[in-house]
Amino acid sequence: MSNDRHVPVMLQRCLDMLAPALEHPGAVVVDCTLGLGGHSEALLKRFPEVRLIALDRDKEALRLSGERLAPYGERATLVHAVYDELPEVLDRLDVPRVDGVLFDLGVSSMQLDEADRGFAYAQDAPLDMRMDQTTGISAAEVLNTYPPGELVRILRSYGEEKQAKRIVSAIVREREKEPFTNSARLVELIRDSLPQAAKRTGGNPAKRTFQALRIEVNGELSVLERAIPAAVKALAVGGRIAVLSYHSLEDRLVKQVFAAGAANTAPPGLPVVPERYQPRLKLLTRGAELPTEQEIAENRRAAPARLRGAQRIREDEA
């Protein structure tokens, strides 16, 4: 189903959520996860006055989306950067505040579809998984060199894999015979090491391990931990942020940052809450919004998506 790669998840909902902040002339919106440019193109199309700044750490994604967004000329600025570098990027472009920020934290469909990147467990490929292939360590290096305890921690905390110990002891046994290089061998090993009952639930049994490796290789959660607060800080008053997450760890992180911003931080018992303790954010979603059944039917990659939004309602006190 190659047409999946052109369907941005929950697109209409994201645009509607950001709309009130982007309808004035000169509004600036940041797409922190450009990918193939689906969300970015929709933003430029729907808000003809808006200026777009878009980030991606994947050079191939930047090249392809650059071609797609070329008709918008000067309105689109594409930057090779990881999204926690947002403050530096805005600094360099001399943009003190922005009106909208969008994060779509799914792996770009292009990366899943490209065999040679090793993200997908459905086809054999080198175990790489780096989103920016010019830097960092590959998934193969993680598998071949990390101590067993560390691998168990990664599979448990990033993949929520209940059988982590079983899988890791098989990995350690196998890597001593021969280092891992390709995804097919890992998929087979996971299949062989799981008990029958565990294989019957929830799709490909390798899915959770691959997710865990991808998060580790790309430092995704630590990047996100820095990126979401930085994005909130970059918002002008009235500005809005929308974040699409695809697993509970990401969603929890986003929820915590938004909840902290929307809380009043006054010591208990004050009769009147001074300005500096008032919430900075107003939540735009009750809990996380989910894709509709129709959307999931049309785009299977939307299934795990969770959308949260917030609006900046006041400045930080100096």
Side-chain angles (χ1 to χ4, degrees), residues 211-260:
Q211 172 181 298
L213 286 169
R214 191 196 87 212
I215 290 174
E216 172 64 19
V217 164
N218 295 292
E220 285 173 48
L221 286 172
S222 49
V223 167
L224 193 61
E225 256 173 307
R226 295 187 293 273
I228 301 289
V232 166
K233 215 174 159 66
L235 285 176
V237 171
R240 290 174 167 229
I241 177 171
V243 185
L244 278 165
S245 336
Y246 293 78
H247 54 80
S248 57
L249 299 159
E250 291 175 338
D251 184 51
R252 196 177 310 145
L253 236 162
V254 176
K255 177 184 176 178
Q256 285 165 351
V257 175
F258 285 6

Side-chain angles (χ1 to χ4, degrees), residues 41-61:
E41 183 176 38
L43 286 163
L44 288 162
K45 204 176 273 181
R46 170 141 171 205
F47 307 108
E49 302 268 12
V50 89
R51 175 187 172 193
L52 169 88
I53 298 167
L55 280 50
D56 209 293
R57 58 162 76 173
D58 187 328
K59 287 190 162 159
E60 184 59 8

